[in-house]
Amino acid sequence: MKIRFIISSFVFILMLFQLPSFANAEKFIVIDPGHGGSFTGTAGYSGNKTGFYEKVGTLKIGLKLREELKGTDIKVFMTRSTDRDFANDQKEDLIERTKIANQYVKGNNNNSLFISIHHNAYPYSTLVRGYETYYYSKASAWDAEYPPDPIQVGFESESRRLANTVHPLVLKETGLQDKGIHNDQAFYVIRNTQMPSVLVELGYMSNPSEESLIKTSRFQNDAAESLAKAAINFFKVFEVKDEKGKVIKQFTSRDEAINYAKKLSNVTVFDKDKQKTIYDSINKRYEVFVKGKDTVKAFTELSDAIQYADDQKNAKVMDQKTGTVEWSNYLDRPYQIQDEKGSSQGNYYELSQAKKAADSMKNMKIIKRSTGDILWTNISGVEITKSVDVSSLSGIDRFETAVKTSMEIYPNGFKDNKAEKTVILTDGFGYADALSVGPLAAQLGNAPILLTRTSALDPFAEDEIKRLKADKVILIGGPNAISPSVETKVKKLGVAVERIGGEDRYETNLMINKKLDKDLKGVFVANGYSYADALASAPIASSANWSILLSDKDGLSDQALDYLEGKQTKVLGGEAVMSPTIERQLSDLNGASSVERLAGDDRYETLAAIVSEFRNEMKSDTVLLSIGKDFPDALVSSSLSVKSGAPLILVNDDLNSSVQDVLWEYGMDNRVTSLLTIGGRVEEQAKNQVLNRLY
C-alpha cells in the first residue's frame, strides 16, 4: 500500500499563472498520470532492471485516455503529458501538481472531474494483486495532520459517485481482481483537488504476472477505454437545483427529474451531459398574456402555457427567450409557406418560425397573407417583393441626435420659398418645458426641435441653425432652462429670437398651447412630472392637430380648466399618475362624453392604448423607434412623425406585449418598408421584435 504525505503550503510557481482559467459551463476532465520525472513511483517486480517504472505505465494510460476522449465534448487537461516532475521535493511536487489541476477547472468546478492514475505495489509479497479505486471522505479519512480542501469536502458525494462509476467499468474491461472502493485514505491529490476526484490503482506491479499485463498495449488500451467510458457516463445525470444553484436531487432519467422538479417551486433541472438547463421554474420561459393586460402567468413548459392560455379569452403565449409568439387564440398567423403552385404549407405567427420550417423544404416561398408580398423564397426565378429597411439616426450624444433628426427632415436645409423657417430650441437636460412643443413645431411649418445646454449654446445646434438657414429661433422655457447668454449667442447668428417661458412648466405649457390654431380636434391631458405619457402622445398630437396640456396629478388648475373648456380630452395614464379627480373636473366642465382615459399598467401599456386609439390617424410605410426610459431622443422625433405620418414606438429592453399587438395591427394595415431608430440605445432584441411585426 502507498503511504500518505504530510503536506505544507507552497507558493504558486510562475507556470501556474500561465495556465488558463475557465468560467464557462463545459465538461472538463483533468487526467493525472501519477509520479513523473525524478519521482518514479514503484519499480515493481522488474522496474529496476527494465526501466518500466510506475511513472511509465501511468503516462501511457493517461495519453491513451486523452485520445479516447478526443472525439467527445469533454475538454481534456493533463497535469503532465511527458516524463516530468513539478518540484525538487516530493511533497512540493504533489502540491504543485494539485494546484495546476485546480487552476485548469477554476470557475467550472461543478462540471469537472479528476482521475489520478497509479499502479500499486506490496513490498512483503509478490502474490498480492488486483484493482482499487479511492475517493476522499472526511468522515472516514480525517486526520488533523492531513486537512482536506473544503471544496473537495463539499464534493464528497460526487467523488463517491465518480468512484462507483469508474470501478465496475475498469473491472469489466481489464479483468483485474476486485479489491474494492475505498474512502479511508487521505492521498493528497484526492483530498485537495477542487472537483469530484478519484485515484485508481490499476494493478500491482510487485506481482510479476500483473506487472507483465500492465506493460501490454492491450491492457493500457482497455484501462484507458474504461476510464473514458466512466468519464462520459459520469456526466449523464440530471440535477434538480434550487434558486441558489444547490443540487437538491440527482436523476439518471430526464423525465423523472422534470416530474420531480414540477412538484417544487423555484428550481431548475440541469442536463449535465448536454450542459444546459432543460426546466426552469425560477426564470419561467413562456408567459401568457391577455390582450390589454400585463403578464397573467408564466410557465416553464410551452405545453403547460398553451393549456392555460386556451381557457382565457384573447390570450397569447410568448417565448421570452426569443421574443416570439408561440400560440394565440386571437392573433392571426400572418405568414404562410406556399409551394410553387401557391398551395399553403402552413401558417405561422412569426416570420422566423416560417423561415425555419421552410428552410428544410424545397421550392417554397413565404408570403405575407394580408398583402401577398413574398418575404422569402428558395424557388429559382422567384424574387422577394418586400423588405424592411432598418436605419438609425444616432449621434455621439442627445444634441447631435437631435441635429441628425433635423437633417433627416431637411437634408438640404430650408427651401428658399418655405413660409416658416423656424427652429425650436429647448433644454437638452430638462423635459418639463418641451413636452408639449411638438404640436407648435408642426404648425410652424414642421419646425425641427433642437437641444441645447442651459448655460451655453450647444455647437451641434448652432451649426444646424446655420445649415438650415433659419430666420427665427423659438426658445422654450425661462432663463433657468435656457440662459440669457444662450439667447444672446442665438441672436448673434442673425436670426429673430422669441422666448416662450413662464414661471413654471405649467405656465410655459399654457403659453405654448395658446399659440396653437383655435380649431384643434382635442387635447391630451398628461402628468407634467412624468414625461412618458406626454412623449407617447406628442407625435400623434403633432400629426392629428391635438394639443398637450400638462397637469399636476391631483387636479387641474383654474387656468387649465379655462383652456380646456369646450374641448374633447383624453386623459393619459392610470390613476397613479392622473387621479380620478381630473376626469370628474373634465366631465363637469364639458360633459362625460367629452372625456376618455387612455391608460395601461405602465408607460408602454399607455402608449399602446394611445396608438391603438389613433391608428387611423397614423398611416405610413415607416415606423419610428426610440427608447422609453429617457426623453431627449423621443422628444425631437415628433417632427419626423409629421413628415412621414409614422407612429413613434417606445421600447424598454424588449417589446411590451400590448405594444406588440398594436404593431401587429399596424403591420397588417400598412405596407411598412422602413424602420427608423432615433438614438442609439435601443436593444437589438427589442428592435428585432418590432421589425418582426412589420414584415
Side-chain angles (χ1 to χ4, degrees), residues 424-427 431-444 449 474-478 498-502 504-518 520 523 541-542 546-550 563 635:
I424 301 290
L425 189 63
T426 188
D427 181 10
Y431 61 83
D433 294 324
L435 281 179
S436 60
V437 80
L440 177 61
Q443 291 192 12
L444 293 173
I449 302 172
I474 298 178
L475 310 181
I476 304 299
E498 178 185 353
R499 184 188 289 271
I500 303 176
D504 58 23
R505 66 190 65 198
Y506 300 119
E507 186 176 355
T508 298
N509 168 240
L510 284 170
M511 292 172 70
I512 291 170
N513 286 340
K514 287 176 181 178
K515 284 185 169 290
L516 299 177
D517 293 342
K518 303 302 181 185
L520 290 171
V523 182
S542 302
W546 282 57
S547 66
I548 302 168
L549 183 126
L550 304 180
Y563 173 74
L635 176 67

Side-chain angles (χ1 to χ4, degrees), residues 476-503:
I476 304 299
N480 289 330
I482 298 179
S483 71
S485 62
V486 173
E487 183 174 353
T488 300
K489 184 66 178 289
V490 174
K491 287 178 179 177
K492 288 182 179 180
L493 299 178
V495 299
V497 176
E498 178 185 353
R499 184 188 289 271
I500 303 176
E503 292 294 324

Side-chain angles (χ1 to χ4, degrees), residues 81-113:
S81 56
T82 60
D83 182 20
R84 60 154 297 182
D85 49 39
F86 300 92
N88 294 326
D89 178 85
Q90 190 167 17
K91 298 175 184 179
E92 293 174 355
D93 182 87
L94 288 172
I95 292 173
E96 298 309 322
R97 177 189 300 267
T98 304
K99 286 179 179 178
I100 289 169
N102 289 339
Q103 186 68 8
Y104 277 136
V105 304
K106 186 177 181 180
N108 198 36
N109 309 62
N110 290 325
N111 298 298
S112 303
L113 61 89

Side-chain angles (χ1 to χ4, degrees), residues 28-42:
F28 291 170
I29 181 173
V30 179
I31 302 169
D32 174 41
H35 307 282
S38 60
F39 306 112
T40 63
T42 182

Side-chain angles (χ1 to χ4, degrees), residues 327-617:
W327 181 94
S328 178
N329 57 13
Y330 74 96
L331 293 174
D332 290 329
R333 290 179 170 88
Y335 309 106
Q336 184 177 89
I337 299 176
Q338 292 183 354
D339 60 20
E340 287 180 288
K341 296 180 180 179
S343 298
S344 174
Q345 303 300 309
N347 298 323
Y348 296 83
Y349 294 109
E350 304 281 354
L351 180 58
S352 59
Q353 296 163 345
K355 283 181 178 179
K356 185 177 181 181
D359 198 41
S360 61
M361 306 178 191
K362 292 183 179 180
N363 297 323
M364 294 292 165
K365 61 184 177 182
I366 300 173
I367 68 162
K368 186 161 187 177
R369 295 168 64 200
S370 61
T371 64
D373 280 307
I374 299 173
L375 309 178
W376 178 96
T377 182
N378 59 9
I379 304 172
S380 178
V382 175
E383 295 184 355
I384 292 172
T385 62
K386 182 199 169 186
S387 61
V388 179
D389 176 60
V390 181
S391 57
S392 175
L393 296 176
S394 178
I396 60 172
D397 57 21
R398 61 188 64 193
F399 303 99
E400 188 182 16
T401 296
V403 167
K404 285 182 176 289
T405 304
S406 172
M407 295 175 72
E408 177 75 10
I409 304 169
Y410 299 105
N412 301 311
F414 291 142
K415 291 183 178 180
D416 292 338
N417 61 353
K418 191 176 188 300
E420 292 276 1
K421 298 179 182 178
T422 302
V423 169
I424 301 290
L425 189 63
T426 188
D427 181 10
F429 291 107
Y431 61 83
D433 294 324
L435 281 179
S436 60
V437 80
L440 177 61
Q443 291 192 12
L444 293 173
N446 201 25
I449 302 172
L450 302 180
L451 306 178
T452 186
R453 302 169 191 277
T454 299
S455 58
L457 179 61
D458 184 80
F460 286 118
E462 179 179 350
D463 289 344
E464 182 62 5
I465 293 169
K466 295 175 182 177
R467 187 194 71 85
L468 287 166
K469 295 181 180 178
D471 56 24
K472 184 175 183 180
V473 174
I474 298 178
L475 310 181
I476 304 299
N480 289 330
I482 298 179
S483 71
S485 62
V486 173
E487 183 174 353
T488 300
K489 184 66 178 289
V490 174
K491 287 178 179 177
K492 288 182 179 180
L493 299 178
V495 299
V497 176
E498 178 185 353
R499 184 188 289 271
I500 303 176
E503 292 294 324
D504 58 23
R505 66 190 65 198
Y506 300 119
E507 186 176 355
T508 298
N509 168 240
L510 284 170
M511 292 172 70
I512 291 170
N513 286 340
K514 287 176 181 178
K515 284 185 169 290
L516 299 177
D517 293 342
K518 303 302 181 185
D519 59 346
L520 290 171
K521 293 182 180 179
V523 182
F524 292 112
V525 182
N527 188 311
Y529 280 90
S530 179
Y531 61 80
D533 296 336
L535 272 187
S537 69
I540 293 174
S542 302
S543 300
N545 199 25
W546 282 57
S547 66
I548 302 168
L549 183 126
L550 304 180
S551 170
D552 182 80
K553 82 178 188 69
D554 295 320
L556 295 162
S557 68
D558 291 340
Q559 294 84 353
L561 288 170
D562 287 342
Y563 173 74
L564 292 168
E565 186 173 2
K567 294 182 176 69
Q568 190 77 19
T569 54
K570 305 285 186 185
V571 178
L572 305 182
E575 294 183 359
V577 293
M578 296 294 278
S579 76
T581 301
I582 292 174
E583 281 180 286
R584 288 196 295 270
Q585 286 178 294
L586 290 171
S587 181
D588 292 342
L589 181 68
N590 296 320
S593 62
S594 70
V595 58
E596 179 185 5
R597 185 186 288 268
L598 300 177
D601 291 339
D602 58 25
R603 64 187 60 186
Y604 304 102
E605 297 282 335
T606 298
L607 167 69
I610 296 168
V611 176
S612 181
E613 178 77 9
F614 288 85
R615 58 184 293 192
N616 293 327
E617 300 284 344

